[in-house]
Amino acid sequence: MPRRIEWLGAIREIENEYFAMELGSEYLRDAVNTDPTIVLKDDRAKFLSVARDNLQATYFVRLYAVFENGLRDFWITHIRKSEPQMKQLLDAVASRCKVPYEALDNAHAVRKCRNSIVHYNSKDTSSVGIQDARSHLCIYFSRLPFDW
């Protein structure tokens, strides 16, 4: 299978996992609301609220990590063996692969949002939903060569 297709599929799988976990956590929340003794029976259930609050951020970071790994795979195998910072990597690949400015700008918005999640002292408070993030990253990635 061509590498671009593999990486696009991996990005979509993370989004699908997120939706599955969101659904599962809704069912568990409803079960705890119906039977509060669940929390007494299994100590892990007390973390449900915090886990639900952090679910999107957790999967957002994973989504971006898969995108970054795919982009670095392309860079190392197709361009050169170096490890530029992500901002420069996005710009350099966009330039070489003729990624439209809007797609590059959207990928940077996702990068900034990821940074605001990971780096607590980040000055950027960008907010991008997980569906939009997946869409932006896939659009950017779809401009790379079919196989490398």
Side-chain angles (χ1 to χ4, degrees):
M1 179 181 299
R3 289 175 100 155
R4 183 176 76 191
I5 301 301
E6 286 179 29
W7 285 108
L8 286 168
I11 292 167
R12 286 187 184 99
E13 284 177 21
I14 298 298
E15 181 189 36
N16 290 338
E17 285 180 35
Y18 163 74
F19 287 124
M21 291 308 297
E22 185 180 53
L23 178 64
S25 70
E26 287 174 12
Y27 280 114
L28 183 55
R29 181 196 60 212
D30 292 346
V32 168
N33 287 340
T34 301
D35 179 7
T37 64
I38 290 173
V39 177
L40 300 173
K41 295 174 190 171
D42 191 334
D43 201 39
R44 297 173 296 176
K46 70 182 178 184
F47 298 105
L48 176 61
S49 180
V50 173
R52 280 186 53 80
D53 290 346
N54 292 321
L55 191 64
Q56 181 162 322
T58 299
Y59 278 90
F60 195 100
V61 170
R62 285 190 58 210
L63 183 85
Y64 191 80
V66 169
F67 170 77
E68 181 175 345
N69 285 333
L71 199 58
R72 289 191 183 283
D73 177 51
F74 169 75
W75 181 260
I76 288 170
T77 58
H78 194 68
I79 308 293
R80 73 173 66 111
K81 305 227 183 300
S82 64
E83 292 187 28
Q85 290 185 351
M86 222 23 221
K87 182 181 185 320
Q88 288 75 26
L89 181 60
L90 281 167
D91 291 341
V93 171
S95 176
R96 284 174 172 79
C97 295
K98 298 181 178 27
V99 174
Y101 178 76
E102 183 180 3
L104 172 61
D105 194 44
N106 287 337
H108 276 302
V110 175
R111 176 185 60 80
K112 290 174 185 175
C113 185
R114 177 261 180 206
N115 287 348
S116 71
I117 293 168
V118 173
H119 304 292
Y120 295 111
N121 63 348
S122 175
K123 293 179 176 82
D124 193 343
T125 58
S126 300
S127 181
V128 179
I130 201 155
Q131 285 181 294
D132 288 336
R134 193 262 321 137
S135 176
H136 295 328
L137 298 178
C138 285
I139 288 169
Y140 179 101
F141 215 85
S142 70
R143 301 302 293 215
L144 274 62
F146 196 61
D147 205 2
W148 62 82

